[in-house]
Amino acid sequence: GCLLLCLLPSVLRAQSNGEARPRYTPCQQSPTRVSCRGAGLHRFPKELGEGIKYLELSNNFIQNLSSSYMPGFGQLEYLDLCFNQLEAVSDATLAQLPQLRSLLLGSNHLDRNYRANGQAFRLLRNIEVLDLSANNLESHMAGWYISSLTGLRTLDLSGNRMTRLPAGIFRSSSQLRLLDLSNNYIMEIEEGVFEALEELEVLNLALNSLHCISGFSLTQLRVLNLSHNALELFSSEEGAKPYLLQALDLSCNRLLYFPELPKAHYLTHLNLSNNLIASLLPRSHQPGEFVLPYKEMARFNSTLQSMAALTRVADLDLSNNRLQLFPFAFFHSLGSLQSLSLARNCLQDVAGKSPAGSTEPHDRLPSPPELAALSVRSLDLHDNALHVLPRWFFDALPQLERIDLGSNSLQPCEGQGSDWGSCVPALGGTCTPFYNVSRLKHLSLHNNNITRLHPYTFNQTSLLSLDLSGNEGLFVSKEALAGLEFSLQKLSLRGNQMDESKAELPCLHTLKVLDLSGNNLSLLPAGLFCSPLESLDVRNNNLLTLEKPALASWSHSLKDVSIAGNPFSCCSLSWLDT
């Protein structure tokens, strides 16, 4: 319902009649919902009326819930007291809230008086959602607070001072479905600590100090976040029961290899970014190659056996690791893979598949028909050390729609005119062919030290967006973008230090967004005048004026233009009228 100010119209009538003014409550109220968020309250408001079910008191200065009589709150189901100064909760107060199902107490001082407070919590018989985050709670304090809450479904203990999870801490909370333990100092998880939580679906252990997860057995989990720990090992328990896990985040750890997930048949999202993974090849997983003091290392199967179970993974993030090779064979079993990131690695080469599963030199790489295709639609390879991608690389990615190759050292090959069929660069070539990649729509080649775009570089590749920024001294001949005249919608040539002699653009009939900032242009490329531009960025160039014919042609399409940082002549600003 529409929220109404608690200041009732009767206040005005009382003032006009000289009657005593009723106390003003800076809250917003509807028949069953009241919000006093940030109202400067120092005590629990008791004069709000009957039948309230939702009460928000966050961002105030309330220090305790006193035992005084509180009429009208018997129907209260939701109470938010986050960001107060709460340190004491009386059993007499909670006894008056028999219908309470959600209690939010985050960012208070419940580490004080925790024994008395925890005893009062025993009266919360119907509580289902409890937020105790950021209360400086140690492990035993948190355990005491929840020791008798048998109906809990959601529990937030994030941002506390917990260092370990003792075996019986969740024994009474068998109905938990969502548990947030992130941003603590947890170093130890005792065996069997989650055994009672047979309905748990979401577990967040991010931002802790865990070093090892061995024998992971929570088969019913759907979402598990273990990011920002110190994990060097993650292995699941061997058993017949499949895991229901759909999303696993192991980013920002110290993993040296791909995790062991033989039963994760339902996994769709896997984040392994920001680890120390140096190879995905099975031969790199011999125990002798690691210095980790774990007995479990000796019984690991090869990574490829683990990958065979991951048939539903659609999103895989391996960015910011130490990979030097892109092995296609490793990803062949991921038949559902849509998005793959290998950005910020040390990739220098790509490897096809050989009978032994090893890499081969360029002159013996398998031809495209022998190479099983990947289903990837989005591929991020930016910030690596790639010098060339062979023709079969794109042939093995027939569904590819978006690729980021920025911050590498790739030089595009020269294509041929529209009458050309299929031309494959000679083996051992030093350029990468970007022509005739039929489904590719978005390509980024920023910061590749490209000095020249040859004619027909992207012919028969119907790009929608092209990023060529950060290639200082780039020369774009008029035919370089031939083939993109009726597809390209977004083009970036930012920061290339180009003058007008190096930017010979053709007529791009569908171009809507153009970034020419950070160049040395004194004139705009004439080929742009036929483009239906909506956004134009020409900041930091050498423009004295903007040609009237260009502005006139864009008068019905241009929505925003950025022109700062140009030496415009004060005597020739009539183009602004256009």
Side-chain angles (χ1 to χ4, degrees):
C2 182
L3 295 176
L4 303 173
L5 287 176
C6 286
L7 184 59
L8 301 177
S10 57
V11 174
L12 298 177
R13 292 196 300 269
Q15 291 177 0
S16 61
N17 296 332
E19 302 173 6
R21 298 180 181 180
R23 182 176 298 172
Y24 169 69
T25 304
C27 302
Q28 293 179 314
Q29 183 171 1
S30 70
T32 60
R33 299 169 64 93
V34 175
S35 176
C36 301
R37 185 177 186 272
L41 301 179
H42 289 263
R43 63 178 182 84
F44 194 95
K46 303 172 185 177
E47 59 281 341
L48 296 176
E50 302 282 340
I52 296 173
K53 294 184 177 182
Y54 179 106
L55 178 58
E56 183 180 14
L57 298 173
S58 60
N59 297 88
N60 282 289
F61 305 97
I62 300 172
Q63 288 187 302
N64 63 77
L65 295 183
S66 63
S67 59
S68 57
Y69 180 56
M70 298 190 306
F73 291 97
Q75 302 299 315
L76 192 64
E77 298 178 0
Y78 178 100
L79 176 59
D80 184 354
L81 282 159
C82 292
F83 295 99
N84 276 273
Q85 298 175 5
L86 194 65
E87 57 185 53
V89 181
S90 70
D91 51 3
T93 299
L94 297 185
Q96 300 178 62
L97 307 175
Q99 301 300 319
L100 195 62
R101 283 175 169 75
S102 297
L103 179 59
L104 279 58
L105 299 172
S107 298
N108 280 286
H109 305 297
L110 293 178
D111 55 321
R112 308 169 189 173
N113 307 305
Y114 81 92
R115 289 192 174 276
N117 293 340
Q119 186 69 31
F121 270 42
R122 296 177 181 271
L123 297 173
L124 297 173
R125 298 182 180 89
N126 294 313
I127 203 73
E128 296 179 358
V129 178
L130 178 62
D131 180 359
L132 291 173
S133 62
N135 272 284
N136 291 313
L137 299 178
E138 298 179 18
S139 299
H140 66 284
M141 298 177 183
W144 176 244
Y145 270 110
I146 66 173
S147 59
S148 61
L149 305 182
T150 58
L152 272 183
R153 298 295 183 93
T154 300
L155 174 61
D156 189 349
L157 290 170
S158 63
N160 282 291
R161 293 190 295 145
M162 303 174 68
T163 57
R164 55 189 291 270
L165 296 179
I169 188 171
F170 303 117
R171 184 180 297 116
S172 301
S173 307
S174 60
Q175 298 186 54
L176 269 179
R177 293 186 177 178
L178 189 153
L179 176 58
D180 192 345
L181 294 163
S182 63
N183 199 19
N184 277 279
Y185 303 93
I186 299 172
M187 294 181 286
E188 179 186 0
I189 299 178
E190 292 188 4
E191 186 174 354
V193 69
F194 299 117
E195 278 186 0
L197 306 182
E198 296 182 355
E199 298 184 25
L200 190 63
E201 295 182 354
V202 180
L203 175 60
N204 190 351
L205 281 163
L207 293 160
N208 279 285
S209 302
L210 297 170
H211 287 262
C212 170
I213 299 293
S214 177
F216 173 73
S217 59
L218 296 176
T219 57
Q220 80 283 5
L221 269 188
R222 304 298 177 98
V223 179
L224 174 60
N225 189 348
L226 285 165
S227 63
H228 294 275
N229 277 276
L231 289 176
E232 298 174 342
L233 175 68
F234 182 93
S235 67
S236 57
E237 191 174 78
E238 296 181 0
K241 194 173 182 181
Y243 289 80
L244 301 180
L245 198 62
Q246 296 176 3
L248 174 60
D249 191 344
L250 292 169
S251 62
C252 301
N253 279 284
R254 299 175 184 173
L255 295 175
L256 296 174
Y257 67 99
F258 203 90
E260 183 80 1
L261 300 165
K263 297 289 184 179
H265 301 299
Y266 298 95
L267 194 66
T268 58
H269 295 77
L270 178 57
N271 190 346
L272 296 171
S273 63
N274 294 279
N275 277 282
L276 304 175
I277 301 173
S279 178
L280 301 177
L281 296 177
R283 65 169 177 267
S284 67
H285 298 162
Q286 299 301 320
E289 292 187 42
F290 298 98
V291 295
L292 299 180
Y294 299 125
K295 295 180 181 179
E296 291 86 347
M297 296 293 289
R299 62 181 178 85
F300 277 177
N301 297 322
S302 71
T303 298
L304 292 183
Q305 291 174 335
S306 176
M307 293 293 291
L310 305 181
T311 57
R312 300 190 185 185
V313 171
D315 183 3
L316 175 58
D317 191 345
L318 281 161
S319 62
N320 205 11
N321 277 279
R322 298 183 178 181
L323 297 170
Q324 297 184 19
L325 197 64
F326 186 131
F328 269 82
F330 182 81
F331 302 108
H332 284 164
S333 60
L334 303 182
S336 302
L337 191 60
Q338 300 287 307
S339 176
L340 173 62
S341 177
L342 291 164
R344 298 186 302 278
N345 274 274
C346 309
L347 295 177
Q348 301 177 27
D349 205 350
V350 294
K353 180 178 180 181
S354 68
S358 61
T359 60
E360 301 183 4
H362 274 296
D363 59 349
R364 293 191 293 114
L365 284 171
S367 60
E370 299 174 32
L371 195 66
L374 303 185
S375 59
V376 173
R377 294 179 182 271
S378 176
L379 178 59
D380 190 350
L381 295 174
H382 84 266
D383 203 358
N384 278 283
L386 294 168
H387 289 272
V388 62
L389 296 176
R391 178 72 235 181
W392 61 258
F393 179 84
F394 292 104
D395 292 335
L397 295 164
Q399 307 299 319
L400 190 64
E401 298 177 357
R402 180 185 300 270
I403 186 169
D404 188 344
L405 293 167
S407 299
N408 283 281
S409 298
L410 298 170
Q411 298 297 319
C413 293
E414 179 178 358
Q416 296 186 13
S418 58
D419 58 343
W420 138 85
S422 177
C423 178
V424 180
L427 291 173
T430 59
C431 65
T432 298
F434 292 103
Y435 48 79
N436 198 26
V437 187
S438 60
R439 300 197 60 166
L440 188 62
K441 301 299 180 187
H442 307 278
L443 172 62
S444 176
L445 289 169
H446 69 275
N447 296 327
N448 267 268
N449 296 314
I450 302 172
T451 57
R452 184 182 184 89
L453 279 189
H454 299 284
Y456 300 99
T457 298
F458 309 104
N459 197 27
Q460 295 193 14
T461 300
S462 301
L463 293 175
L464 297 178
S465 68
L466 175 60
D467 187 353
L468 293 166
S469 62
N471 292 290
E472 190 170 345
L474 177 66
F475 175 74
V476 181
S477 66
K478 191 168 186 179
E479 295 181 329
L481 302 183
L484 301 180
E485 293 91 342
F486 295 96
S487 66
L488 195 64
Q489 298 179 12
K490 184 177 181 179
L491 174 62
S492 176
L493 293 168
R494 172 175 43 85
N496 290 330
Q497 302 301 313
M498 306 165 65
D499 58 33
E500 52 272 16
S501 67
K502 293 184 176 181
E504 300 177 7
L505 302 183
C507 179
L508 299 170
H509 296 278
T510 57
L511 190 65
K512 296 181 179 179
V513 179
L514 176 62
D515 188 350
L516 290 171
S517 61
N519 285 288
N520 297 317
L521 298 174
S522 56
L523 294 172
L524 292 178
L528 296 176
F529 298 174
C530 68
S531 301
L533 284 183
E534 296 180 1
S535 175
L536 175 64
D537 190 343
V538 291
R539 289 174 295 174
N540 301 316
N541 276 278
N542 293 323
L543 296 170
L544 299 176
T545 184
L546 291 183
E547 296 90 327
K548 285 186 178 181
L551 293 175
S553 67
W554 301 328
S555 60
H556 297 293
S557 62
L558 198 61
K559 297 179 180 178
D560 62 83
V561 56
S562 301
I563 60 175
N566 283 282
F568 289 115
S569 171
C570 297
C571 299
S572 56
L573 293 177
S574 59
W575 55 269
L576 284 173
D577 298 333
T578 308

